[in-house]
Each structure stands twice: as structure tokens, then as C-alpha cells.
Amino acid sequence: MHSEFDLIARYFTPATPDPESGVVMGVGDDCALLAPTPGRRLAVSVDTSVCGVHFPPDAPPEAVGHRALAVSLSDLAAMGARARWCFMSLSLDESEDAWLEGFSRGFLTLCEATGTRLAGGDITRGELAIGVTVMGEVAPEAAMTRGGGRPGDLVAVTGALGGGAGGLAAWQAGERDPVHPLLQRYLTPRPRLAAGEALAGLATAAVDISDGLLADLGHILEHSGGGAHLEPETLPLAEGLVAALGEEGARQAALTGGDDYELLVCLPAEELDEARRRLAALELPLTVVGRLTRAPGVSGVPAAQRTGWQHFRGAPPGGTS
Amino acid sequence: MHSEFDLIARYFTPATPDPESGVVMGVGDDCALLAPTPGRRLAVSVDTSVCGVHFPPDAPPEAVGHRALAVSLSDLAAMGARARWCFMSLSLDESEDAWLEGFSRGFLTLCEATGTRLAGGDITRGELAIGVTVMGEVAPEAAMTRGGGRPGDLVAVTGALGGGAGGLAAWQAGERDPVHPLLQRYLTPRPRLAAGEALAGLATAAVDISDGLLADLGHILEHSGGGAHLEPETLPLAEGLVAALGEEGARQAALTGGDDYELLVCLPAEELDEARRRLAALELPLTVVGRLTRAPGVSGVPAAQRTGWQHFRGAPPGGTS
């Protein structure tokens, strides 16, 4: 096994000091030294992806690297924050060069695509797991939280739903075609960072859909109070989902499947046009799926659709900040 | 097994918004929102402690919690940064209430003692491991790095050395008395945060002693250039170390043992009195153990003393930032 330092030097481009990236001192000292933008809040989230709990042991290494970072960046997106820096803790039982090469390519390619600098990390011996800390910046008044939703607000989602669950089902059924649209949704989700920034200031509340639409809407309601009425027939379904799971299964995957990493936002009806205009520039649809209500609870969803989708994760659901 | 949310609510006091702590939004939203101090650099370090690699499986849970945070805070100390926030990723194969209760007490007591706010984290299912991200702040001109040492600078260490290795040896020999001085040094090291802040501006370079004096001095030389002459007979030895390991073993533990989490600093001779005065206020000695030289390499240490101490950790040494 290579030493930690060899591995870092070999597979992870050390962040060299670079004024533009805000990295004053990167990998190689006791700490990374960062220069936060004056006047901004720092949004921070940590998520751990454990092999066999959060991703299948035989998942392509590139997807594992991409996904471990994507799920954390998705939390920044839900706050409306701009991604700045990340730190990675890799726990490895053995270091195979081919695996590490793919893993680091997946991780670093998403770093580059999202303007996130890998500013540090550590590598330890242990069962395969990836801990990622992401840090972003957001103007104090623009941060979207879970607690700002108000009765009458529209409930809307970016993109399409059910792809995470549908992709996992396809994977478990033996599908391995890397360009299969559902597999792509599951293995290499795209964190909606640009959409989060675009919606900040319009949306009253936001959350990313990691545990499933119903569960994540529940987080909003818990913090905002009140309830919601959903219209499940309006849910935007991921490409190929109905073909794979049937109409009923597709709807259920979209409601409860999780691992979609789309944004669920609440916003006043009069902001809808502007929100859609901004997302159109990103070629991303924004679909109204319901409305917040004064009455608690979620109406409009048949009881049979509320539970039952098994997705690939351990008993405790994934990370909170 | 409790859900992640139960566990967090039960054992880890969620960081509530608190202007003084800089936590605008804590556990419970997608991200923590923090308010960095204008004009400061952000010092960030991540470290993972894996059961059976970085601590013995039967270590007291309180010590495991303390230690996992302490080793990360020690990196902030080495930069001269003031600790502000931390994030904890706990991976657990099973949650025993008694273990979690002790673990969280050890972790949170050190948070409180060092002014560090636990601002978020996640809990996942997996083999026992603790990932900690610590964030501190330091004035741009005060940050101590590994690269500022100059030929002629004194090499000095805080506190006493060899306690980490001596304590591990005692633990492995079956010692379990919680007030045994060497065990305490090994199980619950005190990160030298106040000393780091006090020395910032005086020291030209600093590192914390986690891998052993010789290895960590090597990191300084790698970044600062040049070499060092050490006087091993001047090394301050931890209480009880000679009695436990004999004169020769004690000296070797102090040179190569690691896990001491003292600071090694380089500073011009004319700053020594002021540095000692500042540390005296913390009741912490500062001992000169050598000097930086223009010639590369380390002189003064017999070859037999350079290697050989086996300490409890995996093949790749512990975290870098």
C-alpha cells in the first residue's frame, strides 16, 4: 500500500495557493488556510458515503467519486450557496491503482465542473467510506432554509423525480450500460447548484430531495409549520421511469424514492414566472406539484403511495448538516 | 437502532443559532450557516479516527470522543488559529446507549473547554470511525506554517514528549487506571490551542507532534529547507516515562513516538524570552531542543534512536489538512 502522502500526490491534485480560489494554503500543512468572501455566510455540510450502505460495492469508481461529492454539494444547492471548497476523508481497505484513478477522476471532474476546490483531506485505512465536507458562500439575506415556507406558497421541484430509485432498481436488475438514463441519474446525480443560486431570494424555503419527496417535504413542514396538499399526477417523472417501473411504480418512486438530488422549493405564486425564467436559462424545468396549507399533514397522496420504496441505504438516512 | 435524528437529538446538543458563536443556523437544515469574522483566514483540518487503527477497540468511549476532536484541534493549534466550529461524522456498526453517552460526553466536554461549537455532522452505519472537520480563524499575518523556518532559528517544543507512546505501551501492558499520567497523555491529549495563539507572530514555523518529533521536524525541513541539529538529551520527557521505559526507551519514545500533540516551533533566539513568558501564563514550559541549520539533514541523533518505536496506527500516518 502506498503511503497517504504518495496517494494524495498521485491521485488528488493538491490545491496550490491561488488567490482566485480563496485557497491561501492547501494540502501539505497542518491546516488549509482559506480566505472567505467578506460579508458572506459560510454554508457547511458533511456527508459520509459508506460502501454497501450508500452505494453498491461494485459501483464504478468514477461514479463513487462523483456521487460522494454530489450528495454534499446538493446540500449547498438547497441553501442557495455557491460552492467554494471541499475536503475529503477517504477510508480504504486496500488501494488499487485502477480504482483510485477512477475514483479521483470522478471526484475531481465534478470539482472542476462546479468550481469547488479540493483544499485538503486525509486517507486512512479502514472499510471503504468517503467523508466529504463542502463549504459554500451565500449572502446573509439570500440563504434558503427549511423554515421559511408559508401557507399558500407553491411547492415546486426542479428537473425530474424518481430517477434515483429507478436507477438503483435498474442497477440491481443487472443493467450496466453507462449511458442508461436512469443509471446515470442514480450513479452520477447533478447537484443543482446553479438552480439554488438562481432561486435564492425568490424561494421562501428549500430542501434537496435525498430521502424522497415526501420525506423531504416533511422536513420543510417540520420547520415551517403547517401542511401541504400535493397533486401526485403532476410530478415530473425521470426519463424512462414509466417504461421501467410502470405508471404506478414510477409515481411511487417519484414520491418516496429518494437519491434524486433535485431541489424542492416553496415560493409565492407571483414569483413562479421569474423562477421559471431563471431556470430556463439553465435548461431546467420547475414543476409545481402542490401548495403549502395552513392545516397540518400532507393531503392528496393515497396512503398506499406513501411508503414502500426500498432504496439502497442503511437504517439511518443520509447526512444532515 | 435509533434513527440518525434520534441519536443526534439525544447525544449531541444541537448547535442553536447563537450570534456569539457565529452559528447562524446549526444542526437540522441542509447546511450549517456560519458567520466568519471579517478579515480572518479560515483554518480547516479534517482527521478520521478509525477503531483498531487510531485507537484501541476497548478504549473508553469518553477518551475516543475526546481524542477524535483533540487530534484535529491540534492542527488548528499548529497554525496559531482560534478554534471556532467543528463537524462530526460518526460511523457506527451498532449504537449502544452507554457507549454513545460516554463518547458524546468526551467530545462535547472538549468542545466546551476549547470554545469549539459543534455545528453539524452526520451519523451513518459502518465500522466504528469518527471523522472530524475543525474550523478556526487566524489573522492573515499571524498564521504559522511549516515553511517559515530559517537557519539559526531555535527549535523548541511545548510541554513534554513521549507520553503518547508511553501511554500506549502502558495501555497495551494492561494498565487501566484512568489517572495514570501516561495513559492520560495517550488517551486524552490536550490540544495546545492557547499556546498556538500565544506563539503566533513569534514563531517562524510550527507543526504539531502527531507522527513523532523527528517525523514532524522533517515536515518543517521539507517546507522550510535546510536541516536541524538536535540535542536529544534536552528533550522534555513526560511524567513517569523514564520509570516506565527506562532512560533509553524514554528518549526514543520522545524522538519518534508520536501521538503527543505538543507543538514544535521554530523561532529566532531573541524571541525566546517573550515566547516563554507567554507560555508561562499557560503554565506550559517551552524547551529548546535544537536549532535549524543551513546544512540539510538532522544531526545530533544517533542512528539507533531514529526509528523503531511502534505506535498504534495504520500504515498511512494520520491526517494532513
Side-chain angles (χ1 to χ4, degrees):
Chain A
M1 185 161 179
H2 304 291
S3 84
E4 177 186 27
F5 302 106
D6 288 347
L7 289 175
I8 290 173
R10 197 158 179 169
Y11 294 109
F12 300 97
T13 319
T16 46
D18 169 4
E20 206 164 313
S21 74
V23 178
V24 182
M25 167 84 51
V27 172
D29 215 297
D30 294 289
C31 296
L33 277 182
L34 308 174
T37 307
R40 296 287 162 128
R41 297 285 188 244
L42 201 63
V44 184
S45 181
V46 303
D47 284 279
T48 306
S49 298
V50 179
C51 180
V53 179
H54 300 94
F55 58 89
D58 52 349
E62 207 159 342
V64 175
H66 174 106
R67 204 170 185 288
L69 177 59
V71 302
S72 284
L73 289 175
S74 183
D75 287 323
L76 293 185
M79 302 296 280
R82 170 166 298 187
R84 295 294 313 270
W85 308 289
C86 68
F87 294 80
M88 188 202 59
S89 292
L90 179 60
S91 173
L92 269 183
D93 42 10
E94 51 188 41
S95 62
E96 273 182 53
D97 282 356
W99 193 91
L100 274 164
E101 207 267 316
F103 173 83
S104 60
R105 191 173 54 239
F107 193 97
L108 293 172
T109 300
L110 185 58
C111 278
E112 197 164 322
T114 57
T116 311
R117 289 293 295 249
L118 177 63
D122 70 345
I123 301 183
T124 53
R125 200 179 53 182
E127 97 188 350
L128 181 60
I130 309 106
V132 177
T133 301
V134 290
M135 299 165 58
E137 293 184 327
V138 59
E141 66 285 2
M144 299 188 289
T145 67
R146 297 177 176 182
R150 279 180 289 270
D153 281 354
L154 302 177
V155 175
V157 297
T158 61
L161 300 179
L168 173 60
W171 178 269
Q172 288 175 330
E175 179 61 61
R176 293 294 184 272
D177 180 356
V179 299
H180 187 286
L182 290 174
L183 268 198
Q184 284 192 331
R185 291 298 306 250
Y186 172 62
L187 290 174
T188 52
R190 299 278 151 193
R192 298 304 187 191
L193 285 159
E197 281 194 74
L199 294 170
L202 297 179
T204 55
V207 69
D208 70 318
I209 302 179
S210 53
D211 297 333
L213 173 63
L214 280 178
D216 290 309
L217 176 61
H219 296 143
I220 296 252
L221 300 181
E222 189 187 324
H223 287 77
S224 295
H229 179 77
L230 288 187
E231 293 173 3
E233 65 284 3
T234 61
L235 292 177
L237 302 178
E239 183 191 341
L241 193 64
V242 172
L245 302 180
E247 188 82 36
E248 198 57 33
R251 190 93 45 216
Q252 193 171 337
L255 274 170
T256 65
D259 288 333
D260 280 331
Y261 303 103
E262 296 290 353
L263 298 183
L264 184 161
V265 297
C266 304
L267 75 175
E270 60 269 27
E271 305 286 11
L272 181 62
D273 285 350
E274 173 62 14
R276 281 186 164 149
R277 202 186 57 75
R278 293 187 190 179
L279 294 201
L282 307 170
E283 300 184 1
L284 195 64
L286 183 69
T287 307
V288 176
V289 300
R291 198 178 268 273
L292 294 186
T293 59
R294 203 168 300 276
V298 176
S299 60
V301 181
Q305 285 182 15
R306 287 174 185 254
T307 53
W309 190 265
Q310 297 297 323
H311 52 135
F312 193 85
R313 54 171 60 217
T320 56
S321 81
Chain B
M1 185 160 180
H2 303 291
S3 83
E4 176 187 27
F5 303 105
D6 288 348
L7 290 175
I8 290 173
R10 196 159 180 169
Y11 294 109
F12 299 96
T13 318
T16 45
D18 170 3
E20 206 163 315
S21 74
V23 178
V24 182
M25 166 84 51
V27 172
D29 214 298
D30 293 290
C31 296
L33 278 182
L34 308 174
T37 307
R40 296 288 162 130
R41 295 288 189 243
L42 201 64
V44 184
S45 181
V46 303
D47 284 279
T48 305
S49 297
V50 179
C51 179
V53 179
H54 301 94
F55 58 89
D58 53 348
E62 208 161 341
V64 174
H66 174 107
R67 204 169 184 289
L69 177 59
V71 302
S72 283
L73 289 175
S74 183
D75 286 323
L76 293 185
M79 301 296 281
R82 170 166 299 185
R84 294 295 312 272
W85 307 290
C86 68
F87 294 80
M88 188 201 61
S89 293
L90 179 60
S91 172
L92 270 181
D93 42 10
E94 51 188 41
S95 62
E96 274 182 52
D97 283 357
W99 193 92
L100 274 164
E101 207 267 316
F103 173 83
S104 61
R105 192 171 55 239
F107 193 98
L108 293 173
T109 300
L110 185 59
C111 278
E112 196 164 322
T114 57
T116 311
R117 289 293 295 251
L118 176 63
D122 69 346
I123 301 185
T124 52
R125 199 178 55 180
E127 100 188 346
L128 180 60
I130 308 106
V132 178
T133 301
V134 291
M135 299 166 57
E137 293 184 326
V138 59
E141 66 284 1
M144 299 188 289
T145 67
R146 297 177 175 181
R150 279 181 288 270
D153 281 353
L154 302 177
V155 175
V157 297
T158 61
L161 300 178
L168 173 59
W171 177 269
Q172 288 174 330
E175 179 62 59
R176 291 296 182 271
D177 180 355
V179 299
H180 187 288
L182 289 174
L183 268 198
Q184 285 192 331
R185 291 299 305 251
Y186 172 62
L187 290 175
T188 53
R190 300 278 151 193
R192 299 304 188 191
L193 286 159
E197 281 194 74
L199 293 171
L202 297 180
T204 55
V207 69
D208 71 318
I209 301 178
S210 53
D211 297 332
L213 172 64
L214 279 178
D216 291 308
L217 176 61
H219 296 144
I220 296 252
L221 299 181
E222 189 188 324
H223 287 77
S224 296
H229 179 76
L230 289 185
E231 294 172 0
E233 65 283 5
T234 61
L235 291 178
L237 301 178
E239 184 191 339
L241 194 65
V242 172
L245 302 179
E247 187 82 37
E248 197 57 33
R251 189 94 45 214
Q252 193 170 336
L255 274 169
T256 66
D259 288 332
D260 280 331
Y261 302 103
E262 297 289 354
L263 298 183
L264 183 161
V265 296
C266 304
L267 76 175
E270 58 271 26
E271 305 286 13
L272 181 63
D273 285 350
E274 174 61 15
R276 282 186 164 148
R277 199 186 58 73
R278 294 187 189 178
L279 294 200
L282 306 171
E283 301 185 359
L284 193 64
L286 182 70
T287 308
V288 175
V289 300
R291 198 178 269 272
L292 294 186
T293 59
R294 203 166 301 275
V298 176
S299 59
V301 181
Q305 286 182 13
R306 285 173 187 254
T307 54
W309 190 263
Q310 296 296 322
H311 53 134
F312 192 85
R313 54 170 61 217
T320 57
S321 82

